[in-house]
Amino acid sequence: MNKIRVGITGQSGFIGTHLYNRLRLLPDDFICQKFDDSFFSDNVKLQMFVKNCDVIVHLAAVNRSEDEDELYNTNIALVKQLQNACEATQTFPHIIFSSSIQETNKSAYGRSKIDGRLLFMDWANKHSVAFTGLLIPNVFGEFCRPNYNSVIATFAHNLTHDKPVTIITDSVIPFIYIASLCEIICADIKTVRSAGESIIKLIGVPEDFRMKVSEVRELFIAFKEMYLQNGFIPLLENKNIINLFNTFRSYISLSAYFPKFLQQHADARGNFVETIRLKAGGQISFSTTNPGVTRGNHFHTRKIERFTVMHGLAKISLRRVGTTQIYEFILNGDEPSYVDMPVWYTHNITNIGTDTLYTQFWINEWYDQNDPDTFFEEV
């Protein structure tokens, strides 16, 4: 089967960025088409975009506005512009439309989602093309915009920046992790492509879990006390807790927090240093690195990893995938210290000294060669 050309409107947003990066990890299956929000202001560019797509995931939308009529009209206009561009080029890709469980409320956003979905369904029927509507619960994950539409993002950001967290309504919220949503979208693209039919369907995207707002706050307060203030890796009981912990970590100011220096206990015998305190399991390893040599240049999408320099002089470099800013930390074994690797940050460690570098590595899961969660990319 030929590679599937996928375009994502709203590519620069939270879901769009994650989906684009996920698709890039599957180069044998997908080709990602570049999209910029400015395309909606340029018919020629929008038409060129749709013409190069087998599938379009339509994420672009206004989520909040003081003018509800403007919000509604803008979201409906985006749907119609996309349809018009397809018709102008006689290109009829499989459309995946991100709707929301908020379809059932009376808000302008909810109404724009249900009406936009119905417009696409009518359009797909008219042209006998595939369409998938996604009713998505509350999405959380790394790098989501705080103080906007995600209580998880807001609480994580505020607690890692010593700001108050306030509960307005202590409701029970259904949540889905961004990676789970991306997997569902990728699977739907492949399923529709394999069927070779003009399938029109509505998917109620399943939640990963439900949690009260107060429970989110209590969990993140515990993360702050245990991890940020005391350096402990908390008990990571299940996949959902790991995803919440990685989300929490993504809001830490790296340059302000790392490297973390370890307490040394010296006597006539030498030095003793605790490198990690765990309530989680995982794997601990050790390496030597010769002067001038670099290890790493890869990133993880779920693993939690700690580099502790025990002897020698090292430079640890990190860069968030899809961005250009590089964070650099100098660690000296004379003052043992560590840096934890956030998910979706490609990272490496270089021996910049004249002695052999000794480094201890901890990761929260054993290495599985069939599912390594390790993707190579130069920092």
Side-chain angles (χ1 to χ4, degrees), residues 99-111:
S99 191
S100 165
I101 57 174
Q102 293 186 48
E103 273 195 11
T104 56
N105 66 34
K106 306 269 182 170
S107 69
Y109 177 75
R111 287 187 289 109

Side-chain angles (χ1 to χ4, degrees), residues 27-69:
D28 293 337
D29 299 319
F30 302 108
I31 298 173
C32 296
Q33 304 294 346
K34 291 282 189 179
F35 179 86
D36 189 88
D37 291 344
S38 64
F39 290 5
F40 278 114
S41 301
D42 188 323
N43 286 334
V44 173
K45 289 182 178 179
L46 186 60
Q47 289 173 15
M48 288 178 61
F49 167 73
V50 301
K51 197 171 182 179
N52 289 319
C53 294
D54 300 310
V55 180
I56 295 176
V57 184
H58 183 50
L59 302 174
V62 178
N63 294 329
R64 284 189 177 185
S65 174
E66 293 182 0
D67 187 332
E68 291 205 340
D69 288 338

Side-chain angles (χ1 to χ4, degrees), residues 37-221:
D37 291 344
S38 64
F39 290 5
F40 278 114
S41 301
D42 188 323
N43 286 334
V44 173
K45 289 182 178 179
L46 186 60
Q47 289 173 15
M48 288 178 61
F49 167 73
V50 301
K51 197 171 182 179
N52 289 319
C53 294
D54 300 310
V55 180
I56 295 176
V57 184
H58 183 50
L59 302 174
V62 178
N63 294 329
R64 284 189 177 185
S65 174
E66 293 182 0
D67 187 332
E68 291 205 340
D69 288 338
E70 181 182 8
L71 182 152
Y72 176 87
N73 292 332
T74 299
N75 288 346
I76 295 300
L78 294 176
V79 170
K80 292 180 177 179
Q81 281 183 265
L82 200 56
Q83 291 175 343
N84 291 339
C86 290
E87 292 185 355
T89 57
Q90 287 297 288
T91 305
F92 300 103
H94 170 201
I95 300 288
I96 300 177
F97 179 63
S98 67
S99 191
S100 165
I101 57 174
Q102 293 186 48
E103 273 195 11
T104 56
N105 66 34
K106 306 269 182 170
S107 69
Y109 177 75
R111 287 187 289 109
S112 74
K113 283 299 180 181
I114 190 170
D115 289 351
R117 175 171 63 80
L118 293 174
L119 281 171
F120 270 128
M121 293 180 80
D122 290 342
W123 183 81
N125 266 315
K126 175 183 175 183
H127 295 286
S128 299
V129 295
F131 170 77
T132 304
L134 301 175
L135 296 179
I136 304 173
N138 294 269
V139 187
F140 77 96
E142 300 83 19
F143 322 122
C144 183
R145 177 178 169 185
N147 301 303
Y148 189 55
N149 59 0
S150 168
V151 66
I152 286 179
T154 301
F155 282 6
H157 174 270
N158 286 6
L159 283 167
T160 55
H161 290 76
D162 294 322
K163 295 180 179 180
V165 287
T166 303
I167 295 175
I168 298 173
T169 304
D170 193 15
S171 53
V172 177
I173 299 177
F175 291 109
I176 183 171
Y177 183 50
I178 184 62
S180 300
L181 177 59
C182 290
E183 287 174 8
I184 289 170
I185 294 173
C186 291
D188 182 66
I189 292 172
K190 290 183 177 181
T191 298
V192 172
R193 179 79 162 189
S194 298
E197 300 174 4
S198 302
I199 301 171
I200 297 175
K201 58 183 174 179
L202 179 64
I203 298 176
V205 175
E207 65 206 45
D208 282 333
F209 61 91
R210 292 186 169 222
M211 187 175 281
K212 290 181 70 173
V213 174
S214 58
E215 292 173 334
V216 174
R217 183 173 71 173
E218 289 167 10
L219 180 66
F220 283 4
I221 288 174

